[in-house]
């Protein structure tokens, strides 16, 4: 999009713009991103973050980062700090507006007493099973609780005793008195408070009654003066309930707007499932580079600006859809292509002896650091009689369309010379272990003065100077586009890709990588982008392949356009 060209607004931005023009909320725009600190953020959250923070920024408003921490048994301080780190890493700033739902417990409690006093909430003694049974279903109305008609005084006394810790878990709840026959199940006297004698990571043992999500969420937005409460579609059916609470209390009432969740092919965006993958050891941790968590993507080498670009491209809609993972990878390549230094590394080394290159000779050849960025300059790479190339780049009996090295064939070594293969050695198992080649001294830099052409250019490293490194190659975590599509009786584990990780411990890289630091990303020529893993030590560099060089997205797009025309 060029400067001055107006990007069409999505439906949320249209609403916000109209509200501003009409002076709703006195011309204020205030959003929030409200994660529950019960797990790590994933790329679905990045979509929500980019909408919440993005809209505030674009309309001159504010965005809070709020920990929606109302469940003592699932939340931990560890998750809070990780969320803070991840949102900051993505590039967003909440100023001094980091808030906690747990800071509003007292206020919420007062609101609850207010509803009791208005005759709009009651203490119920149905067990959790009975509650479910009384609730009815989509086709059957619910039944009224036998405790529904309690007097205001009795309800107040009982609620205060609940708060004081006089009753065991699960024996009583506070419920809103709405309508057990409502077609919307959320309106059938929903629970507002349950008794949970558990210590909360922030409030300790101060409370033994905790607000439910449905009771708390709308209040949090109201207390913070949020104007536009943006959330995912599953909360659409809860909106009438939030409206009811806020109307009955007569407090600030934000506008809630729902948008579709992000779904991505070949992965899952659900904290519950991600948790299982981590806890059951299918991946190495929350930051495993195969996971769609922000930490996983960071460790994989995805730049935050690529994730932001991805979120901008997928846009905001009201209907659920699945986004192709290839688009995300395309965004990652676009950023890395511009900023990464190119180097050469060989993943599966095959020794090559250049017979006519003198044994005692060494030279340094000049290589371009980044053809996309002339300011990145050039560097020197050592060349000598023994080098390594990729095993894949040689075939004893070349297949049709294989243009790389084979007996009698000549190829170019990137930034170096033409070499020609004359023979090879095999080990006792018949594996090719060494090629015997000659080079043409007149082709220094990679061009023949007589104009003869070769059909392939190979990457290589000089044997003596090469740095031994470990490389971790990743493939899709799941074999199926939709990992949750599994046969009855099994579960998503059945769809895990058993080959999602390949560890290569004997890779060889150009010596300039000696100074590489964790988190830096390089392009290994012809192989993809690689990021230095924090597992690296002084004596051993570990690289994660961020993404390969094949742009699957370009192919998908081309095919789509063709189908549209045809
Ligand atoms: P999960 O379903 O993975 O457990 P969640 O919705 O329970 O996620 P929250 O911590 O409640 O996780 O999420 C914080 C915010 O992020 C919510 O407003 C939620 O709507 C939004 N969000 C979560 N997942 C996605 C997604 N896949 N796409 C877009 N927004 C999402
Ligand atoms: Mg949620």
């Amino acid at each position: 999009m060029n400067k001055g060209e107006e990007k069409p607004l999505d439906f949320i931005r249209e609403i916000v713009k109209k509200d501003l023009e009409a002076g709703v909320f006195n011309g204020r725009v205030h959003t929030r991103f409200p994660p529950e600190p019960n797990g790590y953020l994933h790329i679905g959250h990045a979509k929500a973050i980019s909408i919440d923070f993005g809209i505030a920024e674009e309309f001159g408003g504010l965005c809070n980062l709020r920990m929606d921490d109302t469940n003592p048994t699932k939340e931990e301080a560890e998750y809070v700090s990780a969320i803070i780190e991840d949102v900051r890493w993505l590039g967003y700033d909440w100023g001094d507006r980091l808030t906690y739902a747990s800071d509003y417990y007292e206020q919420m409690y007062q609101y609850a007493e207010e509803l009791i006093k208005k005759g709009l909430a009651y203490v119920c003694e149905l067990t959790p099973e009975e509650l479910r049974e009384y609730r009815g279903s989509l086709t059957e109305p619910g039944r009224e609780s036998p405790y529904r008609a309690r007097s205001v005084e009795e309800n107040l006394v009982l609620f205060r005793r609940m708060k004081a810790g006089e009753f065991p878990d699960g024996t009583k709840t506070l419920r809103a008195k709405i309508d057990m026959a409502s077609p919307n199940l959320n309106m059938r006297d929903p629970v507002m408070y349950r008794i949970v004698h558990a210590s909360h990571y922030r409030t300790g043992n101060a409370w033994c009654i905790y607000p439910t999500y449905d009771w708390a969420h709308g209040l949090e937005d109201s207390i913070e003066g949020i104007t536009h409460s943006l959330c995912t579609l599953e909360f659409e059916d809860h909106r009438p309930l939030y409206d009811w609470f806020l109307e009955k209390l007569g407090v600030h009432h934000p506008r809630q707007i729902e948008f579709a969740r992000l779904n991505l092919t070949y992965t899952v965006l659900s904290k519950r499932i991600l948790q299982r993958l981590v806890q059951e050891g299918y991946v190495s941790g929350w930051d495993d580079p195969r996971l769609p968590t922000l930490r996983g993507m960071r460790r994989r080498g995805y730049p935050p600006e690529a994730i932001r670009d991805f979120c901008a491209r997928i846009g905001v809609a009201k209907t659920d859809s699945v986004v192709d993972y290839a688009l995300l990878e395309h965004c990652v390549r676009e950023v890395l292509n511009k900023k990464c230094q190119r180097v050469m590394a060989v993943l599966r080394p095959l020794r090559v002896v250049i017979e006519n290159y003198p044994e005692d000779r060494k030279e340094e050849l000049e290589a371009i650091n980044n053809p996309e960025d002339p300011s990145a300059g050039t560097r020197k790479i050592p060349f000598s009689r023994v080098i390594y190339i990729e095993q894949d780049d040689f075939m004893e009996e070349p297949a049709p369309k294989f243009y790389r090295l084979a007996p009698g064939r000549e190829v170019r070594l990137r930034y170096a010379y033409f070499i020609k293969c004359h023979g090879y050695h095999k080990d006792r198992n018949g594996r090719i272990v060494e090629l015997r080649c000659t080079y043409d001294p007149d082709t220094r830099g990679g061009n023949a003065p007589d104009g003869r052409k070769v059909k392939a250019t190979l990457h290589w490293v000089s044997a003596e100077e090469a740095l031994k490194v470990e490389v971790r190659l990743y493939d899709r975590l799941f074999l199926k586009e939709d990992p949750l599509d599994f046969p009855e009786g099994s579960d998503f584990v059945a769809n895990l890709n058993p080959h999602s990780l390949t560890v290569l411990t004997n890779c060889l890289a150009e010596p300039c990588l000696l100074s590489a630091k964790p988190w830096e990303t390089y392009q290994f020529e012809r192989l993809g982008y690689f990021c230095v893993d924090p597992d690296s030590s002084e004596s051993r560099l570990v690289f994660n392949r961020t993404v390969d060089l094949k742009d699957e997205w370009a192919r998908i797009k081309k095919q789509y356009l063709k189908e549209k025309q045809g």
Side-chain angles (χ1 to χ4, degrees), residues 18-248:
K18 284 209 182 96
D19 280 351
L20 267 178
E21 286 164 359
V24 185
F25 304 117
N26 300 319
R28 279 191 316 119
V29 173
H30 199 154
T31 59
R32 84 289 176 262
F33 171 62
E36 183 181 357
N38 63 350
Y40 289 81
L41 299 183
H42 52 62
I43 184 128
H45 294 115
K47 172 177 179 176
I49 293 169
S50 87
I51 294 172
D52 294 324
F53 281 91
I55 287 181
E57 209 173 281
E58 287 157 40
F59 290 93
L62 300 170
C63 182
N64 297 359
L65 173 59
R66 180 200 309 146
M67 300 300 153
D68 200 343
D69 53 358
T70 52
N71 185 348
T73 59
K74 293 206 172 138
E75 295 154 6
E76 286 171 33
E78 175 200 335
Y79 296 132
V80 171
S81 34
I83 289 169
I84 289 174
E85 227 178 83
D86 288 350
V87 179
R88 193 165 281 146
W89 173 75
L90 262 189
Y92 294 100
D93 183 17
W94 51 91
D96 59 357
R97 292 173 314 280
L98 170 63
T99 62
Y100 295 84
S102 51
D103 284 347
Y104 312 140
Y105 283 172
E106 180 58 35
Q107 172 77 73
M108 290 175 189
Y109 176 83
Q110 294 304 332
Y111 282 149
E113 282 211 353
E114 220 176 298
L115 286 192
I116 294 175
K117 287 174 193 158
K118 288 182 172 165
L120 296 172
Y122 62 97
V123 173
C124 181
E125 289 171 45
L126 293 178
T127 63
E129 297 76 54
E130 287 167 332
L131 272 174
R132 230 176 331 230
E133 195 198 313
Y134 273 69
R135 197 168 181 226
S137 67
L138 281 173
T139 49
E140 271 173 82
R143 277 182 295 148
E144 294 193 348
S145 161
Y147 307 97
R148 202 174 196 259
R150 273 184 165 140
S151 70
V152 168
E153 290 68 34
E154 194 186 356
N155 279 319
L156 264 184
V157 169
L158 283 173
F159 188 47
R160 287 174 186 165
R161 289 179 62 196
M162 276 169 68
K163 180 182 183 239
E166 290 186 29
F167 309 115
D169 287 4
T171 53
K172 289 184 177 49
T173 55
L174 183 73
R175 297 176 69 184
K177 196 192 257 186
I178 309 180
D179 178 7
M180 287 309 290
S182 171
N184 183 341
L185 268 71
N186 296 304
M187 302 298 274
R188 294 184 186 171
D189 290 12
V191 171
M192 297 160 61
Y193 278 91
R194 57 226 142 78
I195 302 173
V196 187
H197 289 270
S199 173
H200 184 272
Y201 80 101
R202 280 188 90 237
T203 55
N205 295 320
W207 294 86
C208 64
I209 54 170
Y210 288 92
T212 56
Y213 186 90
D214 274 344
W215 165 241
H217 196 77
L219 297 183
E220 294 160 26
D221 285 342
S222 174
I223 291 169
E224 292 181 8
I226 298 304
T227 59
H228 296 85
S229 175
L230 314 176
C231 61
T232 36
L233 283 176
E234 68 268 29
F235 296 107
E236 197 167 14
D237 292 343
H238 298 242
R239 177 154 35 92
L241 175 57
Y242 302 165
D243 289 344
W244 189 89
F245 283 139
L246 298 175
E247 268 160 39
K248 298 299 174 198

